[in-house]
Amino acid sequence: MNNLLRFITPAALALALASPDAKAQTAVGEWAAYQSFGDATEVETHGNLTFCLSNGNLYSFDTDDNSIETYNKINRLNDNRISTIAYAPQQQTLIIVYDNSNIDLLTGDGATTNIADLMQSTSVTEKNINDITIHDGKAYLAGGFGIMQLDLKRQEISNTYLFDSNVRSVAVKDNVLYAATDDGVCAGEMDRNLLDQGNWTLIAFEVLDRMATTDDGRMYGMDGGNLYRWNDSGQFERMFSETLTFLTTDGDRLLCGRGDRMIVVTADGNRTDIGYGRGTLRDISYNARTDTYWCACGSNLLNGFKADAASGFTAEHTSIAPDGPRHELFYFMKFFGTDLYITGGMLNYPDVFNPGTVMRYSGGRWSYLEENLETHTGTSYFNTTSVALDPRDETHIFATSSFGGLYEFCDDEFVNLYTYYADPSLANSTLTSTLPNEPEPRWYVRTDGLNYDSQGNLWMVNSGSQTIINVMKADGTWRAFDHPEIANAPTVDRMLIDSAGRIWITLRRKTTGIFCFDNGSTVDDTSDDQTKFISTFINQDGESLGGLGVYCVAEDRDGTIWVGTTGGPYIINNPTRIFIDGTPQLTQIKVPRNDGTNLADFLLKDETIMAIVVDGANRKWIGTQNTGVYLVSADGLEMIEHFNTDNSPMPSNYVQSMAINPETGELFIGTDQGLVSYRTDSSEPEAEFDEDIYAFPNPVEPGYQGMITVTGLVYDTDIKITNTAGHVVAAGKSHGGTFAWDGKDAHGHDVATGIYFVIASSPDGKSGIATKIAVIR
């Protein structure tokens, strides 16, 4: 057999793949970013590349091949949430400044240099960067502290000029550095020591938002309502009065304007107005190579235009943006099959008006339910909080809102709004308003927690109501339940219907705890209803932890209920006794220290638990408010993984929601600053083996160092991987429906080129299946 393998070429191995229809997937341990690009705010163009900043995320468009590339912490960048960008054509360098004042320099050769000095400084408190000016190989960053000078060739900070006032913008003219501050415009001769504040002079009292200098040496400035030019007398003279929101230069021309127009000012002072009917111009950059005006157009995305006064803007490239979620709002996420649904809501927070939206990620593409609903309902559409698909018709979708009630959609288009009406003759639900006497009481109908039960009834919660729990029955009629112990609770959001049909709801503000309701599978017959409200948490040691806010609830594969609170996770081991025991005890998980002391620590006891997801191996992924995501063993006694912004591409440690793809095991993590996913080494197990078992990547190409994954397995599948001689090189058990192999033998060495057989058998040994993997070294 060894002689045979000697003559097997890589090409022959590739032809020996396990299954011709094996599905391409990301490897175990890989991350992906799902960025939003729905609000284009800044643009920089040079040569064939145009960079666009949108929703704090960066992408580029290449006119040579019409390709789009995104940039993030997974590939080229060192941080998240970009505040401003600028391009230095001589050095072919894009300067990227983040919200936290971290700085990246992205060069044309694909390298990224991080400059974290400002972000890490303990002596500078006002670190915000307002504007970037490029001059003679230097980038001047204007900020709350003053001016920072970056040497773009050496890729380092060369000087920092501290000011007592916020610097809004910088310009350079005739070897003089000008700083537009909150107190006026200051000037400093660049051949003097500008580290000495005494070498700066206040030369104008105008408070300018932006300054810029053309190639022929003319300097301009703008405030909210005027354009100024620096004259030969050393003063800023007003050229015209007009609302302006952007200002830049192109060679000897000045480009300025606002949402509905661009104004071109030439050296002789003449202006040409070019109107933009859509009124969304946010920033403009001119590309002389293609004679194209590239425009960041807010919700109209990135556009490339020809432009002149006679014909206005003529589109060449329209609405360019990568596919992604429309909004970076991830309050709620849930998989229905392999389709991920996301709502952006927030519940019962004053002055939070997140746009009403239901986003769907399916087959690698994003789509959205109808969003502009005001014309249908006559009321504002904000803060969608949960979503549910009709089990009888997946095109029939419902979404709750904390700003209106229950929205119904069919084929992604609006059908109806179920809400509260002061006029009883208009009533179409049992939902009520927290402020029924307001001119628009529908704004105060707070709903969340959508779930279908096994009988096709749609359940939800109605915060701030006497009747918190409401149901739209399968026949379309409604019923509300009056439970005095939780009546009028202001913040009730998550709901779980467990495998026994019990309803669990979470309460996290003022009235806090977890409420369990069992209607005996008879919605209209209340005689067999049972309820239990756990408002005081008592652990297995009899210790009272008092009242805790509850943010989430989950059921694991053993029927155990996991409760996420402001004081860590708790579990209800025997939920069948919830209505029997007087004051239920909850288990506070003790994790042994394993240091010989026989001591243990409570699992994440000081963390606020925002989300709990159970994977195919019955392990728990726990998302927190402050420290990222943890993976713990099925019983919670072992900490397996901990991901945060320091050791992963996570954009924030504040996790709002999580969901796991049952087929692939891809864990989606929604934070307050963006969405990422992590390919776990588990997936939902199959009920029995079938032909869907496959391995990827397959073949394993030379140089590949990731995990080789086998999916389509039953729970706790016994796996043996053998070579063609029948020798076992690796063995183990699946995590749910997935087994991950590192491509090494039992001694930790990379296996040689060849064909390897995956032999899978069920835990009881009564069934099995096999596949094969080609390895090319």
Side-chain angles (χ1 to χ4, degrees), residues 168-184:
R168 302 180 176 203
S169 187
V170 173
V172 181
K173 173 179 169 59
D174 299 332
N175 204 41
V176 176
L177 189 60
Y178 294 86
T181 79
D182 288 350
D183 298 325

Side-chain angles (χ1 to χ4, degrees), residues 577-594:
R577 296 188 58 84
I578 190 72
F579 305 115
I580 301 172
D581 297 333
T583 303
Q585 288 185 351
L586 284 79
T587 299
Q588 194 175 12
I589 300 167
K590 295 179 180 179
V591 180
R593 293 183 183 176
N594 296 321

